[in-house]
Structures are given as C-alpha cells and as structure tokens.
Amino acid sequence: MITVRENIDLKPFNTFGIQARCDRWIDYTETSDIPEITKRYGTYRLLSIGGGSNLLFTRDFHGTIIHSRITGLKITKKGAVHTATIGAGERFDSVIDRCCDDGLWGIENLSGIPGDTGAAAVQNIGAYGVEIKDVIETVDCYDTLTGKFITLTCDDCGYGYRSSIFKNSDHRFIVTAITVRLNEKPSPRLEYAGLNNLSETGIRLTPHRVREEIIRLRDTKLPDPATIGNAGSFFKNPVLSAEEYDLFLKSAGGSGYTDIPHYDTPQGTKIPAAWLIEQSGFKGRITGNAGVWHKQPLVLINATGHATGQDITNLENEIIQSVYKNFGIHLHPEVEHI
Ligand code: EPU
C-alpha cells in the first residue's frame, strides 16, 4: 500500500529533531510498490530513508522521500545455524530483541541502536566489536537505475567501516530486506572494554544478558534521542596509515600528548575522534542551539530542541577545523547531510 502526503514537516522523522520540510513523503508496505512509486514520481530527487537516525537535514528537501514499512521476520533453521530474513521497515532493535528471545546469537552487540533494518545494512552499523556485515548473508534491493529487483551477497555490498555500495552509489539501491546469520550455539563477543567482565560474573550468558549489558553501557554514554535530539556518533573515528600515524605521534608528542588512545585495525590505526574532540576543548560545549554531548563528544546534539541544520553544521565545521589545527587529522562525518 502506498500512502502519499504533501509538504511534510520532517521534525518527527529525524532523531536530531531538525525542522525542515519535504515536498512529498511516501510510506509503502510492499516491495512491488517501489516500481509503482518510481513510475509515478521518477527517480530524480527521490530519497529513501529509514528511522532518520543517521541524517542531518541542512535545508528543506525539494523532492520525494520514501519510507519503507515493509515488515516481516522469518527465521529458517539449518542445524545450529539460523538465518533471519528481515523486512527493511522493521525496527532493527525490535528484531534483535526477538532474536535474543529465541536464544539466537549474532546481533546482540548491536542492541540499542536506533533505526530501521534497511538503513542498518546501508550504514553497516557497528558497536561493541560487531558490525552488521559480520552476519549479513544477502541484501535484497531495488536497483533504480535498471528497474530490477536484485539480491546482493555480503561481498557485493562492498562493506567497510560505516560504508557500503549503498552509501557510495548516490541512493541508486533501495533495500527491501536483509538476511542475517544467527547461531544457537553460544558465541558471545566480549572483547570490547566494559564487556569482558560479563564472562566473569558466573551468571550463565544468554544473548539477552549481553543485550541488557550493551543497553546499560550505551545509556551511560549516549543521549536518548527521544529527549535530546542527536544522530549517534556524528564523526567517524579516523583511521591512519602507518606513515600518517608516525607523523601524528611525532607532532602530538611534540605538543606534550602522551598515552594517546589508539586501536589497531586491518585498515590502519584508529584514533578515537572523541579523544581528539575532547582535547580540542569541545566536550560539553554548547554554542547557541547546537552542542557537544558532555559524556561522549563524538555526539553532536540539538541542545535547545530548536537547532537548524545550519547550527549543527557550523559547530561541525568548527570542530573539524580545530581538530585539524591541533592534530593535523581531518575528521569526516558519518552522519549523512541532506
Ligand atoms: N573517549 C574520550 N572522551 C570521551 C569518550 C571517549 O577521549 O568523553 C575516547 C576514549 O579513549 C575511549 C574511545 O574514545 O576509549 C572510544 O569511545 P567509545 O568506546 O565510547 O566508542 P567510540 O569509538 O566513540 C564507536 C562507534 C559507536 C559505538 C561505540 C561502541 C563510531 C563512529 N562510533 O564509538 O557507534 O556505539 O564505538 O562500540 O565508530 C554510532 O555509530 O552512532 C555509534 C554510536
């Protein structure tokens, strides 16, 4: 079913709570609605969004926003391994809750992340040592360029840290469903600092127990978008090549910084953007309507509830410039600007 509304206020549809308007908003419930919508309205200035938890409206959107309400969770068992096929419009966190209820492991570390399933696959959401790409088998989508429905394997999706072909192809693909791999055999991922003591408590670990701990951890650091507008981490954590890291250490060491937090990844050395932003003096700073969260400076907030996209981008640019001046590192937003 297709429901069309004209001239819509987008404030309730983005977790930043930014006021902006779009010319047309379409909800749809069936995959077959998509070709119908593109036939009626074309593909020019057609934007597919999920829960609006990873975007920033910088101005009114003069085009059509489409929002999947395709639901469904179908779990198929093959030995100890299960696959779950999930409609793009399902709230991903509700899906995690249901899978944890069934005692299935694999996505519990992604608990508490706001947003819809389709967007989770586009964004390659990640937290506490797990990225959704680690469990993705296939992604079903509609290719607006060829007008065909296709199924992509995880490899086809070109996943990287918070990136995918979906993010890099200018909204060509509209995700309709994803299939993830889950396991009934206990396979907790507790390497992340703050989780490793879970295994020492003596309590039998279940996916739900890990989920609860993850949600507790997130709540200590991240603001609830229902109360304070935000889009989670605003910036990506920068990843430096060996050469860049060497240069960075020399210059930061020269400025008196020691014990700089860092993590080795296959792509290079990851420096927490939160640390760079905190050292640049922004932690907890409020500038007009926009601010930097006092418990996690990677998160920008709509401090008064009245911030415009421009207020947030002004603060974003100030942070980027300051971190670059102090550390020679260019921060990149992970939030999509529209
Ligand atoms: N840190 C500071 N000051 C602070 C907070 C953190 O210096 O006030 C430094 C510390 O060194 C800390 C490090 O930053 O060890 C890492 O902080 P944290 O564990 O909170 O994680 P993060 O790197 O800031 C990433 C993801 C989050 C995800 C967490 C947990 C990105 C951009 N963000 O944040 O994802 O929840 O790890 O795995 O990769 C999101 O994408 O929206 C998101 C919230």
Side-chain angles (χ1 to χ4, degrees):
M1 192 176 71
I2 298 173
T3 314
V4 183
R5 285 179 287 168
E6 309 282 343
N7 191 19
I8 285 294
D9 174 10
L10 296 166
K11 191 170 168 114
F13 303 118
N14 69 101
T15 60
F16 244 126
I18 300 289
Q19 193 123 40
R21 301 194 80 79
C22 74
D23 291 353
R24 187 176 299 109
W25 177 282
I26 302 180
D27 288 292
Y28 61 96
T29 56
E30 311 296 326
T31 49
S32 57
D33 292 335
I34 303 172
E36 179 57 34
I37 292 168
T38 55
K39 199 168 111 201
R40 258 197 247 169
Y41 300 103
T43 54
Y44 177 66
R45 298 195 70 76
L46 184 77
L47 176 70
S48 167
I49 75 169
S53 54
N54 197 55
L55 44 82
L56 176 67
F57 288 109
T58 56
R59 56 176 75 89
D60 290 341
F61 181 74
H62 294 296
T64 300
I65 294 184
I66 62 170
H67 177 231
S68 169
R69 290 197 180 272
I70 300 172
T71 54
L73 167 63
K74 191 171 150 236
I75 299 181
T76 317
K77 183 173 175 355
K78 277 189 213 125
V81 176
H82 297 236
T83 55
T85 300
I86 312 155
E90 288 281 353
R91 288 266 145 188
F92 193 59
D93 192 53
S94 318
V95 172
I96 298 178
D97 197 34
R98 284 186 273 165
C99 293
C100 288
D101 275 346
D102 286 356
L104 297 174
W105 296 87
I107 48 177
E108 63 285 350
N109 287 32
L110 302 176
S111 289
I113 300 179
D116 293 351
T117 299
V122 168
Q123 172 71 3
N124 187 21
I125 57 167
Y128 303 101
V130 173
E131 288 179 315
I132 198 168
K133 77 161 173 51
D134 302 338
V135 292
I136 281 193
E137 296 253 289
T138 55
V139 176
D140 296 335
C141 48
Y142 180 74
D143 182 347
T144 56
L145 202 64
T146 61
K148 291 202 164 73
F149 286 99
I150 52 173
T151 297
L152 302 177
T153 64
C154 186
D155 277 352
D156 296 336
C157 296
Y159 281 126
Y161 169 54
R162 298 292 193 279
S163 75
S164 66
I165 54 157
F166 310 111
K167 273 192 96 166
N168 304 331
S169 63
D170 202 18
H171 298 278
R172 171 175 165 183
F173 303 101
I174 299 168
V175 175
T176 57
I178 74 169
T179 298
V180 299
R181 210 170 35 251
L182 303 169
N183 211 311
E184 65 184 45
K185 277 221 279 252
S187 44
R189 299 280 306 270
L190 307 175
E191 309 87 53
Y192 200 90
L195 287 180
N196 30 27
N197 56 353
L198 256 187
S199 51
E200 290 153 19
T201 56
I203 303 169
R204 192 176 71 90
L205 274 185
T206 61
H208 249 307
R209 176 78 195 86
V210 177
R211 170 174 167 77
E212 278 163 16
E213 186 58 19
I214 299 272
I215 291 175
R216 196 193 61 75
L217 260 181
R218 288 181 68 90
D219 285 350
T220 61
K221 292 183 190 169
L222 302 170
D224 177 1
T227 336
I228 297 166
N230 76 91
S233 299
F234 193 92
F235 297 100
K236 293 188 199 184
N237 287 318
V239 180
L240 307 186
S241 67
E243 211 174 35
E244 288 167 336
Y245 183 55
D246 245 23
L247 279 173
F248 162 70
L249 277 186
K250 277 196 192 109
S251 117
S255 310
Y257 291 104
T258 51
D259 291 335
I260 298 167
H262 61 280
Y263 310 91
D264 291 327
T265 76
Q267 292 74 36
T269 306
K270 205 179 249 192
I271 313 288
W275 185 85
L276 298 167
I277 297 169
E278 180 171 353
Q279 300 308 318
S280 300
F282 284 92
K283 187 170 177 170
R285 190 193 291 183
I286 309 282
T287 311
N289 292 313
V292 177
W293 187 235
H294 63 289
K295 293 183 191 163
Q296 169 47 291
L298 195 47
V299 177
L300 301 195
I301 57 168
N302 181 347
T304 57
H306 301 293
T308 60
Q310 204 51 54
D311 292 333
I312 305 284
T313 49
N314 288 346
L315 180 58
E316 168 190 0
N317 290 333
E318 215 188 311
I319 292 172
I320 290 174
Q321 281 164 20
S322 175
V323 167
Y324 187 74
K325 189 168 136 253
N326 295 335
F327 298 102
I329 292 179
H330 192 90
L331 291 183
H332 294 280
E334 81 144 86
V335 165
E336 184 175 0
H337 293 53
I338 292 169

